[in-house]
Amino acid sequence: MKRLILILISIATFTGYAQQRITIEECYNLAIQNYPLAKQSQLLETQYELDAEVISTAKLPQLNLDAQATYQSDVIEVPIPNSNIEPLNKDQYRATLSANQLIYNGGLTDASLNVKSAQLKTKQKQIEVSLYQLKQQINQLYFSILLAQESELLLKAKQTQLEAKLKEVVSGIKYGVILPSSDKVLEAELLKISQQFQELDSNKAALIETLSSLIKKPLEASTLFQNPLIETQLQNDLNRPELELFQLKKEEISQSETLISKLNAPKLLGFVTGGYGNPRLNMLDNSFQAFYTVGVKLNWNVFNWNSKNKQRKSLTINKDIIDTETEAFKLNTNIELNKQQKEIEKIEGFITSDEAIINLRKEVLQTADSQLKNGVITSSAYITELTNLYEDENTLVRHKIQLQLAKANYNVIKGQ
C-alpha cells in the first residue's frame, strides 16, 4: 500500500513538472524573436554590407576598355613638297585600356558610408518600434487568458461546493428534513456549470491559439499562464524606442549635411592609359604600334548655382519637423500615461469595495446554508446566494486581472 502511494505521488509530481508554463516576459521575447518583421533587421544588415562594398569601390582602381574603328572622309596632310611624309590612312583603329585611381575626393566616400550606416540604424530602430507595439497586443491576449484561467478555478470551486451541498440535500430529503425535489434544483445548477465550463474552454482555446500564432510557439490548452506581479513607477521619464528613433533620424540628417558639403570637393585622380592602334600618339607615324600616357587630373565643380545651401536648408527643415514630432509624441504619451494612472486608481477602488462585498456575501451564504439544512429555505434560495457570492468573487478576480493589465499597459506606454 505504501509503495502504491509513493508511485501515485511520483506520478502527480511528474505531471506538475511536465505541465507547460509560460510568463508574459517570455511572450514578449518570443514575439520579438519570431515575428516575421524581426527578420528584416538581418536583411537590412546584409543590404548595408552590399551597399558599403559598392561605395568603397570608389577607392579602388577603375578600369575602362575602349576600342574603335573609323573611316574618315579626310585626314591631315603635310603641305610640304617632296617631304616624303605619307598622309594618314582614312581608316583608323584604336584600342585602349585606362586605369584611374582616386587620390583625393574630400572625404566623399567616407561621408557616403556614414550616411548608409545612419540609414541602417534608423531602419533597424523602426523595426524595433514596430515590434515594441506588439506588447500591448500580447498584454490583452495574455491577461484575457489569465482571466479565463482564474474564472475556471472559481467555477470549479462553485461546482465542488454544489456537489457537496447536493449530497447533504439528498441526505436531508431521505430523512424528511428538506423538501423533496430540492436536489433537482442543485442538479440543474450543476448542469449549467458544465455549460459554463464549455464556454470558458472554448474562449480560452481561441485566445491561446491567437497568442500562439503571435509568438510562434505551440501552446497547449493546459498551459499554465503565470500571474505576474507587476509594479509601476509613477515618474515622467520616458524610455520609448520611438524617442531613440527620432534621435537617429536627426543623426541621419546630420550625416547627409556632411555628405552635401563633400559633393563639390575637388577630386584628384591618377591615370594611366595603354593602347594599340593606327595612328598612335605620333600622328606622323602611319603604322600600328603600342602607346601609353600617364598623368593626373583634377575635377572641381566650382559653381553649383547655390544648390548646396538650398539642400542644407531643406535638411534643417526636416530636423525641425522631427523636433515637432518628438514633442507631439511626448505630449500624447504623457496624456496616455495619465489616463492609465487614473484607470489604475479606479480599479484599486473597485477592488477594495469588492472585498467588502464578498465578506458580506459570505456571511449571508453562511446563514442560507444553515437555513437550508433546517428546511427553512429552498435550494433555489440557497443557489441564489451562492451565485451572488460567485459572481462577486468573479468580479473581484476580473478587477484584479484588469489592474494587472492596466499596470502592464502603463509600463509599455512608458517604455519601462
Side-chain angles (χ1 to χ4, degrees):
M1 184 66 180
K2 290 183 179 180
R3 184 177 179 183
L4 177 60
I5 293 175
L6 289 174
I7 292 173
L8 292 175
I9 292 175
S10 299
I11 293 174
T13 303
F14 175 78
T15 304
Y17 281 117
Q19 184 180 19
Q20 188 180 27
R21 298 170 180 264
I22 195 166
T23 66
I24 194 167
E25 290 296 334
E26 289 174 343
C27 291
Y28 289 156
N29 294 332
L30 287 169
I32 291 173
Q33 293 171 11
N34 300 325
Y35 197 70
L37 194 61
K39 299 176 183 179
Q40 284 190 10
S41 184
Q42 183 58 47
L43 293 174
L44 288 171
E45 187 76 34
T46 303
Q47 186 183 50
Y48 164 75
E49 292 174 358
L50 294 172
D51 291 341
E53 290 178 3
V54 172
I55 294 172
S56 297
T57 57
K59 297 181 179 181
L60 301 175
Q62 307 297 311
L63 299 177
N64 295 301
L65 176 63
D66 293 309
Q68 66 177 27
T70 62
Y71 182 85
Q72 301 178 194
S73 62
D74 201 0
V75 294
I76 298 173
E77 296 183 1
V78 179
I80 302 176
N82 302 318
S83 61
N84 295 325
I85 298 176
E86 297 181 3
L88 296 177
N89 295 332
K90 289 185 177 181
D91 55 326
Q92 298 183 5
Y93 307 90
R94 172 180 290 235
T96 60
L97 178 64
S98 301
N100 295 278
Q101 174 62 56
L102 178 66
I103 299 174
Y104 174 80
N105 67 351
L108 178 62
T109 303
D110 291 336
S112 299
L113 289 172
N114 290 337
V115 169
K116 284 293 182 182
S117 177
Q119 290 174 345
L120 170 66
K121 292 177 182 178
T122 301
K123 291 177 181 178
Q124 288 181 327
K125 184 58 67 174
Q126 181 63 63
I127 293 172
E128 183 180 334
V129 168
S130 299
L131 292 174
Y132 187 83
Q133 293 171 354
L134 291 173
K135 283 190 172 183
Q136 284 198 350
Q137 188 176 353
I138 290 173
N139 285 348
Q140 193 63 47
L141 288 169
Y142 189 92
F143 285 102
S144 295
I145 295 170
L146 202 58
L147 177 59
Q149 184 174 279
E150 296 298 322
S151 297
E152 282 182 345
L153 293 177
L154 276 178
L155 194 59
K156 182 64 178 176
K158 181 182 178 181
Q159 183 186 46
T160 301
Q161 189 169 353
L162 277 176
E163 288 173 346
K165 186 56 59 181
L166 178 61
K167 292 180 180 178
E168 293 179 4
V169 168
V170 169
S171 177
I173 294 173
K174 180 179 180 181
Y175 293 103
V177 179
I178 300 176
L179 295 175
S181 77
S182 295
D183 57 335
K184 304 302 180 183
V185 177
L186 294 176
E187 289 174 356
E189 189 65 22
L190 285 170
L191 289 174
K192 288 183 180 179
I193 289 178
S194 297
Q195 291 178 339
Q196 292 172 356
F197 270 123
Q198 292 176 3
E199 184 177 3
L200 276 175
D201 289 341
S202 177
N203 293 338
K204 182 181 175 183
L207 291 168
I208 290 176
E209 184 178 355
T210 303
L211 181 61
S212 176
S213 299
L214 191 61
I215 66 177
K216 299 296 181 183
K217 178 179 179 179
L219 296 174
E220 301 172 357
S222 61
T223 301
L224 178 62
F225 291 79
Q226 297 185 353
N227 194 343
L229 298 176
I230 299 175
E231 299 296 333
T232 57
Q233 296 180 0
L234 305 181
Q235 56 188 24
N236 295 326
D237 295 337
L238 299 179
N239 191 29
R240 290 284 293 269
E242 288 90 342
L243 296 177
E244 297 177 27
L245 176 61
F246 292 138
Q247 186 59 39
L248 287 173
K249 285 183 177 180
K250 293 180 70 173
E251 291 177 7
E252 182 181 336
I253 291 174
S254 297
Q255 293 297 339
S256 296
E257 289 176 334
T258 302
L259 176 62
I260 289 174
S261 67
K262 304 292 185 181
L263 288 176
N264 293 329
K267 298 178 180 60
L268 183 65
L269 300 95
F271 68 89
V272 57
T273 301
Y276 183 81
N278 179 19
R280 57 194 183 106
L281 299 180
N282 182 1
M283 301 293 292
L284 299 179
D285 188 349
N286 192 16
S287 63
F288 282 91
Q289 293 189 33
F291 60 90
Y292 71 90
T293 58
V294 178
V296 294
K297 56 183 175 182
L298 178 69
N299 183 5
W300 189 6
N301 184 6
V302 296
F303 186 69
N304 62 1
W305 301 97
N306 205 30
S307 64
K308 184 191 296 185
N309 290 333
K310 293 177 181 178
Q311 287 176 311
R312 285 177 174 172
K313 288 181 181 179
S314 177
L315 291 176
T316 301
I317 292 174
N318 283 340
K319 278 188 176 181
D320 293 338
I321 291 173
I322 292 173
D323 286 336
T324 58
E325 289 177 347
T326 303
E327 291 303 315
F329 176 79
K330 288 181 178 179
L331 176 62
N332 292 332
T333 303
N334 284 323
I335 290 173
E336 287 298 318
L337 284 175
N338 185 58
K339 287 181 179 179
Q340 206 66 31
Q341 176 57 26
K342 296 300 182 184
E343 182 72 10
I344 290 172
E345 293 172 357
K346 181 186 73 174
I347 297 173
E348 286 176 340
F350 286 162
I351 290 175
T352 302
S353 300
D354 290 339
E355 290 172 344
I357 291 171
I358 287 172
N359 288 332
L360 294 173
R361 291 291 188 192
K362 286 181 177 178
E363 292 180 9
V364 172
L365 182 64
Q366 187 175 4
T367 301
D369 180 61
S370 177
Q371 292 174 335
L372 178 63
K373 288 180 180 178
N374 295 318
V376 177
I377 62 173
T378 64
S379 298
S380 298
Y382 173 82
I383 289 175
T384 298
E385 298 303 332
L386 177 63
T387 301
N388 288 338
L389 174 61
Y390 166 76
E391 289 178 352
D392 289 333
E393 287 179 335
N394 209 23
T395 299
L396 174 61
V397 168
R398 185 171 67 255
H399 283 155
K400 286 184 176 180
I401 297 299
Q402 287 176 347
L403 178 61
Q404 293 295 80
L405 173 60
K407 288 181 177 181
N409 285 337
Y410 182 94
N411 289 340
V412 170
I413 293 170
K414 181 182 173 184
Q416 182 174 328

